[in-house]
Amino acid sequence: MIAVAASLELEAEVVAALATVIDPELDQPITDLGFVRSIRIDDAGVTVHLRLPTSFCAPNFAYLMASDAVDALRRVPGVGAVSVLLDDHHDSDKINAGLAANAGYVGTFGNEADQDLDELRRTFQRKAHTAAMERCVMALLRSTGKTIEELPGLTLWHLPGGPQKDALLRRRTDIGLGIRPEDLVLVDDEGVPVPPEAAPLRLRFAKAVRISVEGNAHFCRGLLKTRYDDEPLATRITNTRRSR
């Protein structure tokens, strides 16, 4: 019974680790998006298969998510050997070989590596922050009757607690912004306060970013469902450590 309980705990930790891996463009966990096709846990370790909505999803996005999955799983205590495989992508063989060899993005793609992954990650983290800020601000305007003119003085303390605020705080942390109660909400990606006269334009821009992110996520979910209509989108989990 102790071994079974430990095995189930490990399984939960593996799933939780994968839930920390975010699609950089869609700003959602790969577990929620249905990108984790299967998880196999055995005495040797864990093997995870990933899938994407199309075979031609950007290789840098694909590699980033697969690499992040490897890193997340390796942090799970007692997990053993970690193998992450990307299925049905035009660069699957190259990405899977690079991950297995710990070659890194440049080592995997060589001259084809068109952009530094850290800069790619930062680009989409900034977009995620902008979208999260807009959600919080607009929710506050709707619930309190505040005006846009009052927004430049809005601090994190003024935002009600809840999932939207939690998401904003995480996104601010990701890009190095403060999360003290007195920190201003309406700031640019560098933390510079938005002037009162620029607040309406900043909000319109933020709304466009948020709609783009949400629209892309909806579109990708539909593509994934269409592509894999012959199998459930829920993750298949096989855990042979349970049977011991």
Side-chain angles (χ1 to χ4, degrees):
M1 291 297 294
I2 295 177
V4 172
S7 174
L8 291 174
E9 182 179 354
L10 176 62
E11 182 179 312
E13 290 176 351
V14 164
V15 173
L18 290 170
T20 67
V21 179
I22 305 297
D23 180 299
E25 185 177 22
L26 308 182
D27 191 36
Q28 293 185 26
I30 59 173
T31 47
D32 291 354
L33 291 165
F35 292 175
V36 181
R37 191 176 201 171
S38 66
I39 300 169
R40 179 178 177 81
I41 301 171
D42 56 29
D43 290 342
V46 59
T47 300
V48 172
H49 284 261
L50 303 180
R51 60 187 169 193
L52 295 175
T54 72
S55 64
F56 49 85
C57 288
N60 50 2
F61 289 176
Y63 184 90
L64 182 62
M65 285 184 280
S67 178
D68 283 353
V70 171
D71 292 341
L73 291 169
R74 284 177 174 167
R75 290 192 289 268
V76 176
V79 72
V82 170
S83 177
V84 173
L85 301 168
L86 178 63
D87 297 342
D88 309 329
H89 189 272
H90 68 83
D91 272 331
S92 283
D93 290 345
K94 184 179 293 188
I95 289 173
N96 293 340
L99 291 172
N102 293 314
Y105 179 60
V106 174
T108 298
F109 286 95
N111 293 334
E112 298 176 48
D114 58 352
Q115 186 177 9
D116 177 74
L117 284 188
D118 288 338
E119 182 56 36
L120 176 70
R121 192 192 305 276
R122 285 191 291 270
T123 296
F124 284 99
Q125 284 174 337
R126 294 183 189 112
K127 288 187 176 182
H129 163 252
T130 299
M133 179 182 66
E134 192 269 349
R135 291 187 192 99
C136 285
V137 168
M138 295 309 298
L140 188 73
L141 290 179
R142 288 191 294 268
S143 65
T144 65
K146 286 182 176 291
T147 65
I148 292 179
E149 289 71 23
E150 297 175 85
L151 291 181
L154 186 69
T155 69
L156 294 174
W157 181 84
H158 292 102
L159 297 178
Q164 287 186 336
K165 183 175 181 178
D166 291 343
L168 176 61
L169 296 179
R170 288 196 300 272
R171 304 303 180 258
R172 287 177 68 105
T173 299
D174 287 342
I175 63 173
L177 299 183
I179 56 172
R180 298 170 301 176
E182 64 269 24
D183 286 331
L184 293 175
V185 173
L186 202 62
V187 296
D188 67 14
D189 294 332
E190 306 302 324
V192 177
V194 175
E197 65 275 11
L201 182 61
R202 177 64 176 170
L203 272 183
R204 285 197 295 272
F205 170 75
K207 181 179 180 180
V209 171
R210 190 257 304 165
I211 290 174
S212 174
V213 171
E214 293 176 351
N216 284 340
H218 179 76
F219 182 61
C220 285
R221 288 177 187 276
L223 286 175
L224 186 74
K225 185 175 181 180
T226 300
R227 188 181 190 196
Y228 293 101
D229 63 350
D230 60 340
E231 64 178 86
L233 293 186
T235 302
R236 299 192 307 271
I237 300 178
T238 305
N239 185 354
T240 59
R241 294 193 195 185
R242 289 185 193 174
S243 59
R244 292 189 304 171

